[in-house]
Amino acid sequence: MAEKLREGYKAGETGAPTAVKESNTDRLRHILDEPALRSLFREFLRGNFCEENLSFWLDVQDFKRRFNTTSSAAAADRGGSRSVSNKATPGQVAMEKHHEALISMAFVIYNTYLAPSSPCELNIDHGLRNELVVYLNEILATDGGKQFHGRVEVEHASQFNATQLQTLIRLYERIQTHVFRLMATDSVPKFIKTSRFLALRNWVEEFEVGEDGSKKNDPSAPAAPPGLNDEDEEEGRAYMSVSQAAHERKPEPAPTAGALVPTKSIQ
């Protein structure tokens, strides 16, 4: 960790365009993987009024993981036979309910970050936003369906099938990529020059923790750098963004009968 912090910061100091771009992209990946760094980065983004970029990226990452887990479980269950009465098996029923929960999560993400005047509206490319709106209009503004007026509602859920949900995820992923690049090119270079980041870097270099949890250089070293302790770190699943908090007010049903159950934390 110390080497990554040191190399990234020195690359940022050089001002070489290619080196900075590569370094900041790698650095952002490291920030997203390290809870302490991610917590510090979130605090920095909050102070710069763009915390929604990180929250959206994490929400979509979790959404994709849940969808992929569900898809794998559905594929495994696809070979299962129905009973003589043609009733769905308990596993199939659970997967259908989980699919509905995924649609609900997709709606919460849209209404939180992408709908006009949403509470954490992202500042993204107009073309990307327009492409998403056009796609939702095609699905939702149908005869007999509830009209789409910039927000997706519970009543819209019945109009989404698995293929349409997968297309929506791909659109979210493109926006996620855009947001990642924005954080890497705009936020990370500023973040690595902050006093709190430098304090963390200096602490890691001086008191780096070994794999066994011991201090490599000084057993009496503090467990955390000054100003960054356990209370500062994101709790629970390593983070809790606005849309996830809203989504988790309604616990999603867990697949049963051999279906895989998504975990609650991003690895």
Side-chain angles (χ1 to χ4, degrees):
M1 181 176 177
E3 184 178 354
K4 291 181 180 179
L5 291 175
R6 183 169 55 251
E7 287 182 352
Y9 178 70
K10 289 182 178 179
E13 288 177 327
T14 64
T18 301
V20 171
K21 181 178 179 181
E22 293 176 353
S23 172
N24 288 332
T25 296
D26 293 339
R27 170 166 297 287
L28 181 54
R29 293 193 184 101
H30 185 57
I31 288 171
L32 295 171
D33 288 339
E34 289 284 343
L37 278 174
R38 189 171 61 240
S39 177
L40 208 60
F41 188 54
R42 180 183 289 281
E43 181 182 323
F44 169 79
L45 295 177
R46 186 182 301 127
N48 285 271
F49 307 102
C50 54
E51 182 186 2
E52 65 275 5
N53 290 335
L54 177 60
S55 294
F56 174 80
W57 191 94
L58 291 169
D59 270 351
V60 173
Q61 198 73 358
D62 190 33
F63 182 37
K64 291 189 301 183
R65 178 185 54 78
R66 295 185 188 213
F67 178 82
N68 291 335
T69 300
T70 305
S71 298
S72 299
D77 193 56
R78 199 167 292 149
S81 59
R82 289 179 178 252
S83 63
V84 176
S85 60
N86 204 36
K87 290 183 179 179
T89 65
Q92 290 167 334
V93 171
M95 291 307 302
E96 289 173 1
K97 291 182 178 179
H98 195 61
H99 173 75
E100 293 174 0
L102 285 173
I103 294 175
S104 174
M105 188 175 184
F107 286 6
V108 169
I109 289 175
Y110 179 82
N111 289 334
T112 301
Y113 301 107
L114 300 166
S117 302
S118 53
C120 301
E121 186 174 1
L122 292 175
N123 181 17
I124 61 173
D125 179 75
H126 175 74
L128 277 174
R129 187 187 300 275
N130 187 60
E131 188 173 348
L132 176 61
V133 170
V134 167
Y135 181 69
L136 289 174
N137 267 316
E138 290 177 354
I139 298 175
L140 304 178
T142 57
D143 293 339
K146 182 177 175 63
Q147 293 296 307
F148 176 58
H149 296 293
R151 289 180 62 84
V152 285
E153 309 293 346
V154 176
E155 294 85 347
H156 289 133
S158 60
Q159 296 169 252
F160 264 82
N161 58 41
T163 300
Q164 292 167 334
L165 180 60
Q166 193 168 23
T167 300
L168 184 61
I169 290 174
R170 285 198 293 267
L171 288 169
Y172 280 3
E173 191 169 28
R174 287 175 58 195
I175 298 173
Q176 185 192 36
T177 300
H178 172 82
V179 168
F180 181 94
R181 289 173 180 167
L182 181 64
M183 289 191 292
T185 58
D186 182 66
S187 298
V188 170
K190 299 172 184 175
F191 171 64
I192 62 177
K193 295 178 182 178
T194 63
S195 59
R196 296 202 70 193
F197 173 84
L198 294 175
L200 176 61
R201 185 195 65 160
N202 294 336
W203 175 83
V204 170
E205 288 181 346
E206 186 174 359
F207 305 116
E208 187 173 8
V209 179
E211 293 182 0
D212 60 354
S214 62
K215 305 295 187 304
K216 289 184 177 180
N217 299 328
D218 185 357
S220 64
L228 184 64
N229 52 41
D230 292 340
E231 295 179 356
D232 295 319
E233 294 186 8
E234 297 163 303
E235 298 178 353
R237 63 171 63 191
Y239 72 91
M240 177 66 72
S241 63
V242 176
S243 74
Q244 282 193 316
H247 176 69
E248 293 201 352
R249 294 191 188 105
K250 297 181 179 179
E252 62 184 72
T256 57
L260 299 176
V261 180
T263 59
K264 287 293 183 180
S265 62
I266 288 184
Q267 300 299 325

